[in-house]
């Protein structure tokens, strides 16, 4: 090796075994000492994460100004440039863009610099979708530490990482045992060991400094390292930066895989955090679309400050020890509080934009209750809508009730009254399900009227299994098992043998899941139950049945926990919705859903891409869908808004719901994982809800259908007082192209579009009378600006 680049850093988790206040204190002390040492010694201090610099600017403005001077002098290097070091599997592709955009803009604004090497030292693996994102955000290189060599064999530790779209970026994995630090006062001992890892390379890199809770190299370290530089004759050692290192590196090895299958427990640990993240991620991007649509129709509703606050909350909860579920309980509460505050802000924004759109509609006649439904999809959408209305006068009677009629553009459409959220036992609050054709990115109106009619008896329920059959599918739910025993679409069988069976496993309290590649052992199937909270209710039965849908529910007992499963089967649609209410009361256990299916390649959604997994039982990470791709060109797809962990073997698909872990529980040698001399609270205790959609469809539709499942239409019973209005159509013509985000910026509107298929595609993007033809390569992301009636493709995502 001819050259060793020393990159001095101080790894600092803003939250982990501590809450944010302690993280702030650590950042302040770390940056103060680093700034002091920069004045005293010949070295370069490197640090990333805009969040930490925000702390310094807020709580020690004079230190912030000093750091700005040190950056300008070349003594302090802004590296990485992201908002923080997030989990690099679980955020959506759009969320990764926001992590980068927020950080880069912060550092450009306050320091006038823009890093070209991304860094995520401590993230537990990295999604292949990052390659294209990094490339289109101006990066040429990426510096990582995990997965370590013993967990993932790579063709080289300096390589070109190839993305789904064929783009490439230089990557270096730090392969030494000490990764990003050298321990206090031991730098001179550790750096030669780090150098040894690069003996077969022309150029190597050594990360040195102190972590996991901030701190700095000591004065002894700084003196020792400069002595080491002067003493070493075999190769050149220099104080450096990630950018200078990569300028010396030109890998000749390509790698096109994931950097994953490491710390697999993190794909499921702390379900509450993961579900809150999905909720906030969905709410942010859907609310941006609604507000942008309102703005494009002349409404002044965009609130940049509120959106910025909500986005920062999302980015903060994506920190790798937060979203992975490896932090303490107090930190969990803080992260959820951040998210709930953001959700409240977004709800206010959504309401303001929604009512600005519908208030101009025509005033309703007497006895008419309008329901307005906003479609967040960039195409016309045929779906089932559920909405609630409060009728003016209640009926308290066993012989008379309200009959509902729903009209759209004067035409009567089918509807069905289903159980409302309230339990007040009179006929006044109505929950109505109806099949609706919704125009793209706009609000449609449905007029509801009521009249009193005699109460009719409940329809007779046939004996035996529950069989649902319509023009496209047939579903059989067994009265003996409470499970889907058959799912046929267009005459083809896709599921047999008891789908959505809850299965309990023995598990470890280890939050990370060190040194395992599968979740759980000793599987035990849940049993049908009529005890406890289910006592007195038939354990498999129909609860709704009408012109729009049939819903059945089943009750199960698993260990000391209970599971209620609902199956919603919609008339003449090729999918069914399945939801679970789990009352979890377990330690050292895991719960999965089993879906029997012995056919098809196992595919999962990743950040701006898809990946094919082995059907070998290993735990995998996927986002909003997994599917089994069949030989007939169709896929059996399962969409979700609630989880990331999944696996498959030769016979079954598994969805990992929940783990009974300890908070921040980490193996240390052979010591006990959990103290046994007192009660230790375990994570996850209490009620959890999981929602899925099982569908048969073309694989090219999966990305769109996953977004549909998460971004449900927003409906409200509202009474306008206007003269009517015409909405400008905003749409994407091809359903193979997903509109990931749409937001207002600098007087224009930014569209982020993605082709989640390997084949090229052409689409039209329309805004009112304006349109543009867009050509996509396989797995290509495009960012398009619409401003002053013109479309232009942006070369950078940020």
């Amino acid at each position: 090796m001819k050259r060793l680049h020393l990159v001095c850093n101080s790894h600092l988790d803003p939250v982990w075994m501590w809450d944010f206040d302690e993280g702030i204190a650590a950042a302040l002390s770390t940056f103060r000492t680093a700034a002091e040492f920069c004045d005293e010694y010949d070295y370069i201090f490197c640090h990333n994460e805009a969040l930490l610099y925000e702390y310094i600017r807020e709580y020690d403005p004079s230190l912030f100004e000093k750091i700005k001077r040190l950056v300008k002098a070349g003594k302090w290097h802004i590296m990485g440039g992201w908002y923080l070091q997030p989990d690099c599997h679980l955020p959506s592709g759009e969320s990764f863009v926001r992590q980068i955009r927020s950080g880069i803009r912060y550092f450009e604004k306050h320091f006038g610099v823009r890093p070209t090497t991304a860094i995520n030292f401590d993230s537990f693996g990295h999604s292949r979708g990052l390659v294209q994102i990094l490339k289109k955000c101006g990066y040429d290189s990426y510096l990582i530490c995990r997965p370590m060599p013993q967990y993932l064999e790579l063709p080289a530790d300096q390589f070109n990482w190839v993305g789904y779209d064929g783009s490439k970026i230089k990557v270096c994995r730090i392969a030494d045992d000490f990764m990003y630090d050298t321990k206090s006062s031991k730098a001179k001992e550790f750096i030669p060991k780090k150098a040894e890892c690069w003996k077969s390379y022309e150029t190597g890199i050594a990360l040195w400094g102190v972590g996991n809770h901030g701190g700095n190299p000591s004065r002894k370290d700084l003196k020792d390292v400069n002595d080491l530089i002067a003493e070493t004759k075999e190769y050149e050692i220099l104080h450096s930066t990630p950018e200078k290192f990569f300028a010396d590196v030109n890998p000749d090895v390509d790698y096109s895989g994931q950097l994953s299958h490491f710390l697999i427990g993190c794909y499921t640990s702390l379900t509450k955090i993961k579900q809150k993240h999905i909720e906030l991620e969905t709410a942010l991007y859907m609310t941006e679309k609604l507000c942008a649509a309102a703005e494009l129709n002349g409404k002044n509703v965009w609130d940049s400050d509120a959106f910025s606050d909500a986005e920062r909350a999302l980015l903060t909860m994506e920190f790798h020890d937060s979203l992975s579920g490896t932090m303490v309980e107090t930190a969990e509460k803080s992260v959820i509080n951040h998210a709930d505050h953001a959700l409240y802000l977004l709800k206010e924004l959504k309401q303001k934009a929604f009512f600005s759109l519908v208030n101009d509609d025509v005033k309703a006649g007497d006895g008419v209750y309008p329901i307005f439904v906003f479609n967040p999809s960039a195409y016309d959408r045929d779906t089932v809508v559920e909405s609630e209305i409060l009728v003016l006068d209640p009926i308290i009677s066993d012989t008379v009730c309200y009959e509902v009629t729903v009209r759209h553009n004067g035409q009567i459409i089918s509807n069905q009254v289903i159980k409302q959220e309230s339990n007040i036992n009179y006929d006044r609050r109505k929950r109505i399900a109806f099949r609706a054709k919704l125009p793209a990115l706009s609000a449609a109106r449905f007029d509801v009227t009521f009249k009193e009619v005699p109460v009719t008896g409940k329809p007779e329920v046939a004996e035996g299994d529950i069989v649902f059959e319509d023009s496209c599918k047939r579903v059989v739910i067994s009265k003996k098992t409470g499970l889907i025993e058959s799912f046929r679409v267009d005459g083809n069988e896709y599921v047999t043998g008891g789908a959505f069976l809850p299965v309990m496993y023995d598990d470890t309290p280890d939050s990370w899941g060190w040194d395992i590649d599968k979740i759980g052992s000793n599987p035990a199937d849940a049993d049908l139950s009529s005890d406890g909270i289910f006592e007195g209710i038939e354990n498999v039965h129909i609860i709704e049945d009408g012109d729009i849908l049939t819903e059945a529910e089943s009750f199960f007992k698993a260990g000391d926990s209970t599971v209620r499963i609902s199956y919603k089967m919609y008339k003449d649609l090729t999918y069914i919705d399945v939801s679970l209410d789990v009352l979890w009361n377990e330690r050292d256990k895991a719960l999965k859903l089993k879906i029997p299916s012995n056919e098809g390649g196992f595919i999962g959604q990743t950040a701006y891409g898809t990946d094919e997994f082995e059907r070998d039982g290993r735990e995998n990470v996927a986002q909003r869908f997994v599917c089994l791709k069949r030989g007939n060109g169709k896929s059996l797809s399962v969409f979700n808004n609630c989880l990331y962990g999944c696996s498959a073997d030769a016979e079954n698909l598994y969805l990992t719901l929940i783990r009974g872990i300890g908070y921040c529980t980490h193996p240390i040698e052979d010591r006990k994982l959990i103290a046994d001399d007192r009660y230790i609270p375990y994570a996850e205790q209490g009620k959890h809800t999981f929602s899925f959609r099982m569908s048969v469809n073309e694989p090219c539709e999966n990305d769109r259908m996953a977004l549909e499942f998460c971004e449900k239409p927003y409906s409200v019973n509202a009474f306008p007082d206007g003269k009517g209005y015409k909405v400008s159509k905003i749409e994407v013509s091809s359903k193979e192209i997903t509109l990931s985000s749409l937001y207002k910026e600098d007087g224009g509107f930014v569209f982020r579009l993605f082709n989640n298929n390997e084949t090229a595609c052409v689409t039209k993007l329309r805004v009112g009378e304006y349109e543009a033809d867009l050509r996509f390569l396989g797995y290509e992301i495009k960012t398009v600006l619409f401003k002053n009636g013109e479309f232009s493709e942006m070369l950078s995502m940020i």
Side-chain angles (χ1 to χ4, degrees):
M1 182 180 64
K2 296 181 180 179
R3 181 174 292 175
L4 180 70
H5 291 259
L6 299 183
V7 174
C8 183
N9 75 107
S10 179
H11 182 68
L12 201 165
D13 294 328
V15 61
W16 179 34
M17 290 191 285
W18 46 83
D19 204 349
F20 286 99
D21 45 7
E22 191 173 331
I24 293 169
L28 287 165
S29 62
T30 297
F31 280 36
R32 283 171 187 151
T33 306
E36 180 181 339
F37 286 177
C38 281
D39 286 338
E40 296 182 26
Y41 294 93
D42 179 20
Y43 87 117
I44 304 170
F45 183 71
C46 303
H47 216 287
N48 57 309
E49 297 176 319
L51 174 65
L52 301 182
Y53 289 82
E54 285 181 347
Y55 293 157
I56 306 306
R57 185 167 181 261
E58 177 72 19
Y59 300 115
D60 194 340
S62 62
L63 174 60
F64 189 79
E65 292 302 315
K66 182 175 183 179
I67 293 170
K68 287 169 68 174
R69 294 194 296 271
L70 290 169
V71 169
K72 191 172 183 179
K75 296 286 291 177
W76 186 301
H77 180 71
I78 304 294
M79 68 176 180
W82 292 26
Y83 189 71
L84 45 72
Q85 291 189 52
D87 182 283
C88 284
H89 281 307
L90 308 188
S92 68
E94 183 61 26
S95 290
F96 281 124
V97 174
R98 303 302 177 95
Q99 284 284 351
I100 296 168
R101 185 186 73 164
S102 181
I104 287 292
R105 290 182 175 182
Y106 183 86
F107 289 121
E108 284 185 327
K109 176 181 178 180
H110 292 289
F111 297 93
V113 298
R114 182 168 179 165
T116 58
T117 296
I119 67 105
N120 279 301
F121 295 156
D122 206 24
S123 300
F124 310 142
H126 309 264
S127 170
R128 186 182 172 198
L130 280 169
V131 180
Q132 184 180 182
I133 295 169
L134 289 170
K135 199 80 172 177
K136 291 190 172 182
C137 288
Y139 289 95
D140 57 27
S141 46
Y142 191 34
L143 187 58
I144 64 172
C145 295
R146 306 178 190 269
M148 295 86 86
Q150 63 268 39
Y151 296 102
L152 179 65
E153 183 178 350
L154 291 170
D157 288 316
Q158 296 176 13
F159 58 92
N160 298 306
W161 198 12
V162 183
Y164 294 111
D165 68 328
S167 57
K168 294 183 180 182
I169 196 164
K170 292 190 285 188
V171 175
C172 177
R173 176 178 67 178
I174 305 301
D176 64 72
D177 292 340
F178 315 106
M179 295 195 298
Y180 46 71
D181 65 16
T182 50
K183 311 304 179 190
S184 181
S185 300
K186 294 186 177 181
K188 192 173 183 179
E189 172 189 341
F190 278 41
I191 287 173
K193 295 177 181 178
K194 289 172 172 282
E196 186 69 14
C197 293
W198 303 109
K199 61 184 179 182
S200 61
Y201 292 81
E202 287 295 307
T203 303
I205 184 170
L207 301 179
W208 72 288
V210 180
N212 272 319
H213 199 24
N216 288 276
S218 64
R219 284 187 166 85
K220 178 179 183 302
D221 281 326
L222 289 163
K223 179 182 182 303
D224 286 349
V225 168
N226 284 330
D227 289 345
L228 180 66
I229 291 172
E231 295 166 2
T232 301
K233 305 302 180 185
E234 307 96 286
Y235 49 86
E236 179 186 10
I237 304 178
L238 65 158
H239 293 297
S240 190
T241 68
E243 281 79 2
K244 290 178 180 178
F245 163 71
F246 276 106
D248 271 358
V249 171
N250 290 293
D252 57 6
V253 176
D254 289 353
Y255 177 71
S256 57
Q258 296 278 11
L259 298 172
S260 59
H261 290 299
F262 172 60
L263 301 182
I264 62 168
C266 295
Y267 306 159
T268 302
S269 296
L270 290 195
T271 298
K272 292 176 184 176
I273 287 287
K274 290 172 170 59
Q275 291 187 346
K276 187 66 70 172
H277 169 257
I278 295 167
E279 182 184 4
L280 178 53
E281 200 174 48
T282 301
L284 174 60
Y285 303 139
M286 179 174 166
T287 305
E288 284 181 343
K289 291 174 186 176
L290 172 52
C291 290
E295 288 272 343
L296 283 163
N297 280 283
K299 309 300 181 182
N300 183 21
V301 297
W302 193 268
D303 187 333
S304 296
D305 290 340
F307 274 123
S308 181
D309 286 348
E311 183 177 280
R312 282 200 301 272
L314 174 67
L315 303 184
T316 300
M317 80 180 308
E318 289 175 345
F319 180 68
H320 59 268
D321 281 312
S322 301
L323 191 50
S324 65
T326 57
M327 57 187 171
V328 293
E329 187 175 10
T330 52
E332 177 194 37
K333 291 177 180 176
S334 289
V335 170
I336 289 175
N337 286 342
H338 276 82
D340 283 337
H341 171 68
L343 287 166
Y344 180 79
L345 291 176
L346 292 171
K347 186 170 185 179
E348 288 188 322
L349 290 171
K350 181 166 66 173
Q351 291 164 344
K352 181 179 180 181
F354 181 85
F355 287 110
S356 77
L357 282 173
V358 307
N359 281 345
D360 290 338
D361 212 296
V362 177
K363 186 176 182 179
D366 291 343
V368 176
Y369 296 73
I371 294 176
F372 290 88
V373 185
F374 178 77
N375 172 19
S377 301
Y379 49 84
D380 295 350
R381 183 166 161 184
D382 182 4
T383 190
V384 171
V385 174
E386 294 183 14
S387 192
E388 294 205 4
I389 289 179
L390 186 70
V391 186
L392 182 62
D393 297 312
I395 296 176
I396 305 175
S397 171
D398 294 327
T399 59
V400 178
C401 67
Y402 283 119
E403 180 183 76
V404 176
T405 300
V406 180
R407 290 180 174 85
H408 180 55
N409 294 331
Q411 299 296 312
I412 294 177
I413 62 174
S414 294
N415 78 86
Q416 178 180 340
V417 176
I418 58 178
K419 174 68 173 70
Q420 74 279 9
E421 189 173 5
S422 165
N423 291 309
I424 299 177
N425 194 9
Y426 61 10
D427 194 15
R428 187 182 187 191
R429 186 69 174 171
K430 291 287 191 180
R431 187 169 186 86
I432 307 165
F434 54 94
R435 183 85 170 262
K437 293 185 178 179
L438 306 174
L441 283 168
S442 56
R445 174 172 173 162
F446 300 85
D447 287 329
V448 181
T449 56
F450 301 90
K451 70 175 181 179
E452 293 186 14
V453 297
V455 171
T456 58
K458 291 185 178 181
E460 293 186 7
V461 178
E463 295 293 326
D465 293 341
I466 297 169
V467 180
F468 177 94
E469 193 162 7
D470 60 22
S471 63
C472 59
K473 67 181 178 295
R474 185 175 188 270
V475 183
V476 178
I477 299 171
S478 169
K479 283 288 193 74
K480 294 180 179 179
T481 66
L483 306 171
I484 297 176
E485 298 295 337
S486 175
F487 181 50
R488 297 177 67 87
V489 176
D490 295 331
N492 296 307
E493 188 71 69
Y494 287 88
V495 170
T496 58
F500 293 96
L501 171 66
V503 183
M504 187 80 78
Y505 292 77
D506 293 335
D507 194 12
T508 168
D510 172 9
S511 315
W512 285 260
W514 283 90
D515 298 317
I516 60 174
D517 61 7
K518 299 178 181 178
I519 295 293
S521 59
N522 303 320
D525 295 350
D527 298 317
L528 277 177
S529 175
S530 296
D531 299 329
I533 61 172
F534 304 133
E535 187 173 358
I537 312 173
E538 185 180 4
N539 57 20
V540 183
H541 62 286
I542 292 174
I543 57 175
E544 303 287 355
D545 193 31
D547 293 338
I548 303 299
L549 63 92
T550 297
E551 182 177 6
E553 66 179 3
S554 305
F555 306 141
F556 296 87
K557 176 83 169 174
D560 291 325
S561 302
T562 58
V563 181
R564 179 252 184 187
I565 303 181
S566 157
Y567 308 97
K568 275 188 177 178
M569 297 161 281
Y570 302 101
K571 302 293 170 65
D572 302 317
L573 293 172
T574 60
Y575 57 77
I576 64 175
D577 286 351
V578 180
S579 63
L580 286 82
D581 294 313
V582 178
L583 285 176
W584 184 250
N585 190 33
E586 309 294 333
R587 293 162 49 109
D588 306 343
K589 299 286 185 181
L591 186 67
K592 300 183 186 182
L593 285 182
K594 181 169 75 173
I595 301 173
S597 185
N598 58 9
E599 293 183 46
F602 180 25
I603 311 292
Q605 184 189 42
T606 59
Y608 283 137
T610 56
D611 207 28
E612 183 162 1
F613 307 127
E614 296 294 330
R615 297 191 65 161
D616 58 3
R618 285 191 302 166
E619 193 76 0
N620 298 284
V621 57
Q623 296 189 352
R624 304 286 64 80
F625 72 79
V626 293
C627 73
L628 299 176
K629 196 172 180 180
R630 301 299 182 90
N632 65 356
K634 299 285 188 178
S635 69
L636 174 67
S637 304
V638 182
F639 307 101
N640 80 84
N641 60 7
C642 55
L643 54 76
Y644 295 93
C646 58
S647 61
D649 58 26
E651 301 296 328
N652 303 288
L653 170 66
Y654 297 90
L655 306 172
T656 308
L657 302 180
I658 196 167
R659 301 182 64 219
I661 58 164
Y663 280 103
C664 198
T665 303
H666 190 312
I668 298 293
E669 299 176 345
D670 59 353
R671 301 169 69 83
K672 290 179 180 178
L673 281 172
I674 298 283
D676 58 8
D677 62 340
R678 67 197 67 207
Y679 168 73
I680 300 293
Y682 267 56
E684 312 289 24
Q685 305 298 304
K687 181 182 176 182
H688 298 266
T689 300
F690 302 89
S691 298
F692 305 94
R693 173 167 291 171
M694 184 167 68
S695 172
V696 173
N697 52 268
E698 300 285 343
C700 66
E701 298 178 299
N702 277 326
D703 211 58
R704 168 182 65 84
M705 292 182 67
L707 197 58
E708 281 187 12
F709 181 64
C710 292
E711 291 188 346
K712 292 181 170 57
Y714 176 54
S715 64
V716 179
N717 167 216
F719 295 89
D721 192 23
K723 304 298 183 184
Y725 63 100
K726 184 178 180 180
V727 176
S728 293
K729 188 109 177 186
I730 308 162
E731 66 176 346
V732 177
S733 65
S734 172
K735 291 186 179 180
E736 295 179 359
I737 301 300
T738 303
L739 178 63
S740 300
S741 66
L742 166 59
Y743 53 89
K744 184 179 180 181
E745 189 167 78
D746 298 330
F749 296 86
V750 177
F751 293 77
R752 189 112 55 232
L753 303 127
F754 176 52
N755 176 21
N756 194 26
N757 300 280
E758 61 185 12
T759 55
C761 182
V762 178
T763 193
K764 285 187 182 294
L765 174 59
R766 299 188 183 96
V767 178
E769 62 188 278
Y770 305 98
E771 65 177 43
D773 291 319
L774 302 175
R775 297 180 180 275
F776 289 79
L777 300 175
Y779 295 112
E780 185 178 9
I781 312 162
K782 284 187 183 293
T783 303
V784 177
L785 175 65
F786 177 71
K787 189 172 183 178
N788 298 327
E790 295 183 352
F791 294 95
S792 58
E793 187 174 343
M794 300 169 64
L795 297 179
S796 172
M797 288 183 171
I798 57 176

